[in-house]
Amino acid sequence: MAEAERIIGTPDTPEAAGGAEPEQSDSGSDAARQDARGEQDARGEQDEQASPDEQDSADEQKPKGKRRILVLFAVAVFAYALDLVSKMIVVAKLEHHEPIEIVGDWLRFEAIRNAGAAFGFGEAFTVIFTCIAAAVIVVIARLARKLYSLPWAIALGMLLGGALGNLTDRIFRSPGVFEGAVVDFIAPKGFAVFNLADSAIVCGGFLIVILSFRGLDPDGTVHKD
């Protein structure tokens, strides 16, 4: 009887042995799946960490751009106000009077009306210069949306303030709208008479040339040709 049970039970032994191998295989696949899940979780954590950093970088750029725009308009308002006040004083105190010598014959204040461009050039094209000044203002306003460079903000602010100063004269001064003569009063010896708006435009343009040669773009990037 024991011999019969041994013979009958013999086939169960390979099954038991064979069953052990699938269990090992299942445990191995479970470990592989756990490793894969661990890698996915690690990648997910990295993505979660990277996304806030990228969002923070984008959030930092927005206030920076707004500050540069504020600088641009602050410089423009200062240049415009300085030019406007100086012209009001010149018209009230100096026009139709003898020139005032500041540094002997080398520099004096002399009130004149200029229908041309900066430094008295092109008096026959007053309307054209008025349109150009208006176009410059529009271009600067559009460019301000992509402005992230402080030097460019200062340069464009000087251009904007100077253009607004002379454009105000061309619109509101005689002989008529868009044909008004600009008030000039700074008269160096041997040079054309100009005003503070002309000075702001020239200084802003000169700064833009320097920034362009240095490879600095208005958006703050630097390129090398």
Side-chain angles (χ1 to χ4, degrees):
M1 189 70 180
E3 183 67 20
E5 289 177 355
R6 183 183 64 79
I7 295 172
I8 294 172
T10 301
D12 294 339
T13 303
E15 291 178 0
E21 293 178 359
E23 291 177 0
Q24 293 176 357
S25 176
D26 292 341
S27 63
S29 62
D30 291 341
R33 285 194 294 269
Q34 290 177 357
D35 292 339
R37 284 196 296 269
E39 292 178 356
Q40 291 176 355
D41 293 339
R43 287 195 296 269
E45 292 177 357
Q46 292 177 355
D47 293 340
E48 291 177 357
Q49 293 176 355
S51 297
D53 292 340
E54 293 175 355
Q55 186 66 30
D56 292 341
S57 177
D59 292 340
E60 289 176 358
Q61 284 292 93
K62 292 180 180 179
K64 184 178 179 181
K66 291 180 180 179
R67 288 195 295 269
R68 299 299 182 260
I69 294 175
L70 289 176
V71 170
L72 186 155
F73 285 108
V75 173
V77 169
F78 178 77
Y80 176 73
L82 197 62
D83 177 70
L84 184 62
V85 171
S86 66
K87 289 174 179 176
M88 292 174 62
I89 295 174
V90 167
V91 171
K93 302 295 183 180
L94 189 58
E95 197 169 32
H96 308 303
H97 291 78
E98 292 294 325
I100 300 175
E101 294 185 352
I102 304 300
V103 185
D105 293 336
W106 294 98
L107 178 64
R108 62 181 183 177
F109 288 164
E110 179 181 3
I112 67 169
R113 297 295 182 109
N114 173 24
F119 308 112
F121 298 116
E123 295 186 1
F125 304 99
T126 305
V127 176
I128 295 176
F129 292 133
T130 303
C131 295
I132 292 174
V136 168
I137 294 171
V138 173
V139 170
I140 293 174
R142 291 176 61 86
L143 186 61
R145 295 181 298 176
K146 300 179 180 179
L147 186 62
Y148 294 98
S149 170
L150 180 59
W152 270 94
I154 295 173
L156 292 177
M158 288 190 288
L159 282 178
L160 181 59
L164 284 172
N166 285 338
L167 184 61
T168 300
D169 284 356
R170 297 189 188 283
I171 294 176
F172 295 105
R173 295 193 186 277
S174 59
V177 178
F178 299 119
E179 296 181 353
V182 176
V183 176
D184 290 335
F185 61 94
I186 304 174
K189 183 178 180 180
F191 195 72
V193 184
F194 58 95
N195 56 40
L196 295 182
D198 297 333
S199 300
I201 292 172
V202 171
C203 291
F206 185 69
L207 181 55
I208 288 175
V209 171
I210 294 176
L211 296 175
S212 299
F213 273 112
R214 293 176 63 88
L216 180 62
D217 292 333
D219 61 359
T221 58
V222 180
H223 68 274
K224 295 181 178 180
D225 296 334

